[in-house]
Amino acid sequence: MSDDSLKRLALVIAQRRGADPELSYVARLLSKGEDSILKKIGEEATECVMAAKDGDRQRIVSECADLWFHCLVMLEHYGLGPSEVIAELARREGLSGLDEKAARKASAREAYGASPDE
């Protein structure tokens, strides 16, 4: 699956937003709102973790696909798409994960007015 595949799937999800919830799973999930979407992501994330703990490679792939799909539904709910996530990953490319995390913490401290020593 390429970036284009994710974009195509996101487009299908966007098109289903206005569909009949009785005929479309995506329309039903979007119509139920944020709490239902986020609950579903939590369920899928848990299933992904369980598959990984079991070491079942095919189930890992299957559950990860479910998780990614539901994340795309969440992005649609918030008016976002895979291009924003891909851009963020590209922005992080070449950065140390530890440095990036420290920068986020420093930025959060600045935003909330905490002293750098806290």
Side-chain angles (χ1 to χ4, degrees):
M1 179 175 254
S2 67
D3 294 358
D4 290 340
S5 297
L6 287 173
K7 290 175 187 174
R8 283 193 306 274
L9 181 54
L11 181 60
V12 169
I13 290 169
Q15 291 169 341
R16 301 261 170 90
R17 177 184 279 278
D20 182 347
E22 295 297 317
L23 302 175
S24 167
Y25 172 75
V26 170
R28 184 179 321 141
L29 190 55
L30 287 169
S31 73
K32 289 182 178 182
E34 178 182 64
D35 288 345
S36 290
I37 295 166
L38 299 178
K39 179 180 177 188
K40 191 64 181 169
I41 289 175
E43 291 170 5
E44 297 300 344
T46 299
E47 291 172 5
C48 193
V49 168
M50 290 170 35
K53 290 292 283 180
D54 291 343
D56 182 338
R57 294 172 57 87
Q58 182 53 47
R59 207 169 122 239
I60 292 168
V61 170
S62 178
E63 296 299 345
C64 193
D66 289 347
L67 178 58
W68 285 18
F69 173 82
H70 287 89
C71 285
L72 288 171
V73 173
M74 177 192 61
L75 289 170
E76 171 61 27
H77 173 76
Y78 290 107
L80 299 166
S83 59
E84 286 89 352
V85 177
I86 291 166
E88 177 61 13
L89 290 171
R91 183 191 69 77
R92 295 179 186 185
E93 189 174 350
L95 293 176
S96 157
L98 296 175
D99 291 344
E100 197 274 335
K101 185 175 181 178
R104 278 188 283 139
K105 283 184 178 181
S107 178
R109 280 194 302 268
E110 290 174 17
Y112 292 107
S115 71
D117 296 333
E118 292 180 11

